[in-house]
Amino acid sequence: MLTERQQELLDFLRVYQRQQGVMPSTRDIQLHFGFASQTAAMSHLKALERKGVIRRLAGKARAVVFPEVMERETVDIPIFGLIPAGFTADNPEHSDGNLTLDLRTMGLSPRSKPFALKVRGDSMTGAHIIQGDYVILEQRDPRPKDIVAASWTGKQPSSGTLWTTASLSSAPRTPPTPT
């Protein structure tokens, strides 16, 4: 059972993380609640940890996690450059960073070797894929209705290739612009 203040802090942690994408620092907690010091913020975090509603990871800043998140099966997926949505791009073989994702949420097998590419261009907006998005890819045979990124030897890469049960066909996913 949490005290009223502990519940307020727990709610603050969840809202802050959802809005900012990271957990608040002890300074953020101190300022939000008007605590006299960061030590007071730490004491409240320790109380929440003792009650099992958060976990703190030793030696890391802002390292507060919710236990339900710790139970997820996550994987760091390397980002390998850009994928053109309408134009070609050189996609280097070195990683530009990582995205950490829950495998089950993404529908991926632990054995798959997924990777990410950042979208450049706007030919896929009809499929709700826009410039700046990250697309998660894995090397496998396409299934019916999959949107795939493909490159044929000697040909330019093609995004938006649609696999149907009959054939492969290149199909940009941008609605026509009215003239």
Side-chain angles (χ1 to χ4, degrees), residues 2 10 14 45-55 65-68:
L2 300 178
L10 183 61
R14 290 186 190 280
L45 290 172
K46 287 177 184 176
L48 289 177
E49 186 174 28
R50 280 192 305 273
K51 292 189 176 186
V53 295
I54 65 167
R55 288 190 53 199
V65 294
F66 302 110
E68 62 269 20

Side-chain angles (χ1 to χ4, degrees), residues 34-101:
F35 296 146
S37 69
Q38 290 182 49
T39 304
M42 285 299 297
S43 295
H44 284 282
L45 290 172
K46 287 177 184 176
L48 289 177
E49 186 174 28
R50 280 192 305 273
K51 292 189 176 186
V53 295
I54 65 167
R55 288 190 53 199
R56 294 181 311 128
L57 305 176
K60 294 188 176 186
R62 300 177 187 248
V64 174
V65 294
F66 302 110
E68 62 269 20
V69 173
M70 293 295 289
E71 294 168 7
R72 292 182 182 164
E73 185 176 356
T74 62
V75 63
D76 286 337
I77 297 175
I79 302 167
F80 290 122
L82 300 170
I83 183 168
F87 302 98
T88 64
D90 293 328
N91 292 323
E93 292 291 328
H94 69 281
S95 175
D96 292 334
N98 290 300
L99 296 175
T100 302
L101 301 170

Side-chain angles (χ1 to χ4, degrees), residues 5 16 22 47 49 54 56 59 63-64 70 104 119-121 124 127 132 166 172:
R5 177 60 91 184
Y16 191 98
V22 295
E49 186 174 28
I54 65 167
R56 294 181 311 128
V64 174
M70 293 295 289
R104 283 178 279 174
V119 174
R120 185 186 73 198
M124 296 297 293

Side-chain angles (χ1 to χ4, degrees), residues 10 21-22 44-45 72 75 78 82 84 87-88 109 112-114 122 138-140 150-151 157 163-164 168:
L10 183 61
V22 295
H44 284 282
L45 290 172
R72 292 182 182 164
V75 63
L82 300 170
F87 302 98
T88 64
S109 159
S112 70
K113 293 186 177 168
D122 62 1
E138 61 181 333
Q139 291 185 354
R140 65 167 173 77
S151 177
W163 175 259
T164 65
L168 280 174

